[in-house]
Coordinates of all heavy atoms in Angstrom, one line a residue:
T20 N -14.5 32.1 56.0 CA -13.4 32.4 55.1 C -13.4 31.4 53.9 O -13.1 31.9 52.8 CB -12.1 32.2 55.9 OG1 -12.1 33.1 57.0 CG2 -10.9 32.5 55.0
L22 N -16.0 30.0 52.6 CA -17.1 30.4 51.7 C -16.8 31.6 50.9 O -17.1 31.6 49.7 CB -18.4 30.7 52.6 CG -19.0 29.4 53.2 CD1 -20.2 29.9 54.1 CD2 -19.6 28.5 52.2
I77 N -25.6 25.9 19.6 CA -24.8 26.6 20.6 C -25.4 28.0 20.7 O -25.7 28.5 21.8 CB -23.3 26.7 20.2 CG1 -22.8 25.3 20.1 CG2 -22.6 27.5 21.3 CD1 -22.9 24.4 21.3
L120 N -21.7 20.6 -3.6 CA -20.4 20.2 -3.4 C -20.3 18.7 -3.5 O -21.2 18.0 -3.3 CB -19.8 20.7 -2.1 CG -19.6 22.2 -1.9 CD1 -19.0 22.5 -0.5 CD2 -18.7 22.7 -3.0
I148 N -22.2 12.9 -6.0 CA -21.7 11.8 -5.2 C -20.4 11.3 -5.8 O -20.4 10.7 -6.9 CB -22.7 10.6 -5.1 CG1 -24.0 11.2 -4.4 CG2 -22.1 9.5 -4.2 CD1 -25.1 10.2 -4.4
C242 N -5.7 -3.9 -15.2 CA -5.6 -2.6 -14.4 C -4.2 -2.0 -14.8 O -3.3 -1.9 -13.9 CB -5.7 -2.9 -12.9 SG -7.3 -3.4 -12.4
R256 N -1.7 -20.7 -6.5 CA -2.0 -20.7 -7.9 C -2.5 -22.1 -8.4 O -2.2 -23.1 -7.8 CB -0.7 -20.3 -8.7 CG 0.4 -21.3 -8.6 CD 1.7 -20.8 -9.3 NE 2.8 -21.7 -9.1 CZ 3.1 -22.7 -9.8 NH1 2.3 -23.0 -10.9 NH2 4.2 -23.5 -9.6
L260 N 2.5 -19.4 -13.9 CA 2.4 -17.9 -14.1 C 3.4 -17.5 -15.1 O 4.6 -17.8 -15.0 CB 2.6 -17.2 -12.8 CG 1.6 -17.5 -11.6 CD1 2.1 -16.8 -10.3 CD2 0.3 -17.0 -12.0
A270 N 2.4 0.8 -4.7 CA 2.2 0.3 -3.4 C 1.4 -1.0 -3.5 O 0.3 -1.1 -4.1 CB 1.4 1.3 -2.5
L325 N 2.9 -8.1 8.9 CA 2.8 -9.1 10.0 C 3.3 -10.5 9.6 O 3.0 -10.9 8.5 CB 1.3 -9.1 10.4 CG 0.7 -7.8 11.0 CD1 -0.8 -8.0 11.2 CD2 1.4 -7.4 12.3

Side-chain angles (χ1 to χ4, degrees):
T20 302
L22 290 174
I77 303 300
L120 290 185
I148 300 172
C242 294
R256 64 185 174 89
L260 297 172
L325 297 173

